[in-house]
Amino acid sequence: MVVSGYPVGVYEFMLVAEDGLGGMTSKTARLTVTALVNTDPVIVGPADFSAEAGSNSSITWTITDPETGITNASIYMNGTYIGSIAWNSTEALLPLPVTPSVPGTWNWTIVAEDGLGGIAQDTVMVIVYNLAPVITVTANVTYMEGTIGDYFIN
């Protein structure tokens, strides 16, 4: 016997079996339907970090949710929606490649939803810096006044 679709509560069912020859027996069964207690997903992400402009970096988030295996995560950069990813498991590892090209502070936010009303978010700040060019002089040079010469700086 399959029982489904009942709201929270306690239900009693009487099961009756007859053998067709006048024999009969019955048994009462109790069904208790309890409410699902949903907890929000849990996101574990890295600490804020710095990266040189043009370097290859990544942010890796781990998302867990024991109540559901169907989860959706949306990713934002500085508040602008970048995209989303869905997966079918109770734990997901989401690496996000980050290649910052412009110096400044960038925030990357992930918002995870478990499909049962639970929501969690995490933000990682990426401080992008630019290294100043380096000038190297190989040696001092002396020229006589009135002469022509070339000197290269690396």
Side-chain angles (χ1 to χ4, degrees):
M1 179 169 132
V2 176
V3 180
S4 65
Y6 284 86
V8 173
V10 178
Y11 303 91
E12 286 193 8
F13 297 91
M14 180 176 279
L15 305 171
V16 179
E18 296 181 17
D19 64 7
L21 299 173
M24 179 184 85
T25 188
S26 67
K27 185 75 173 172
T28 301
R30 180 176 290 190
L31 169 68
T32 303
V33 179
T34 58
L36 173 67
V37 177
N38 184 38
T39 56
D40 290 339
V42 174
I43 302 173
V44 177
D48 299 343
F49 65 94
S50 297
E52 183 181 351
S55 67
N56 291 323
S57 301
S58 68
I59 298 169
T60 300
W61 284 289
T62 302
I63 304 172
T64 56
D65 190 325
E67 283 87 35
T68 182
I70 301 172
T71 307
N72 182 63
S74 299
I75 299 171
Y76 300 84
M77 183 184 72
N78 290 340
T80 301
Y81 175 77
I82 300 297
S84 64
I85 186 169
W87 67 90
N88 190 9
S89 101
T90 56
E91 181 172 322
L93 184 65
L94 299 176
L96 174 69
V98 177
T99 306
S101 59
V102 178
T105 301
W106 305 88
N107 70 65
W108 293 85
T109 301
I110 190 165
V111 179
E113 300 177 44
D114 67 7
L116 299 173
I119 298 174
Q121 76 175 36
D122 184 64
T123 298
V124 177
M125 303 299 285
V126 180
I127 300 167
V128 180
Y129 61 90
N130 187 28
L131 291 178
V134 176
I135 298 174
T136 304
V137 178
T138 56
N140 291 329
V141 177
T142 304
Y143 287 102
M144 297 290 288
E145 185 177 354
T147 60
I148 299 174
D150 292 322
Y151 186 72
F152 294 96
I153 299 175
N154 293 332

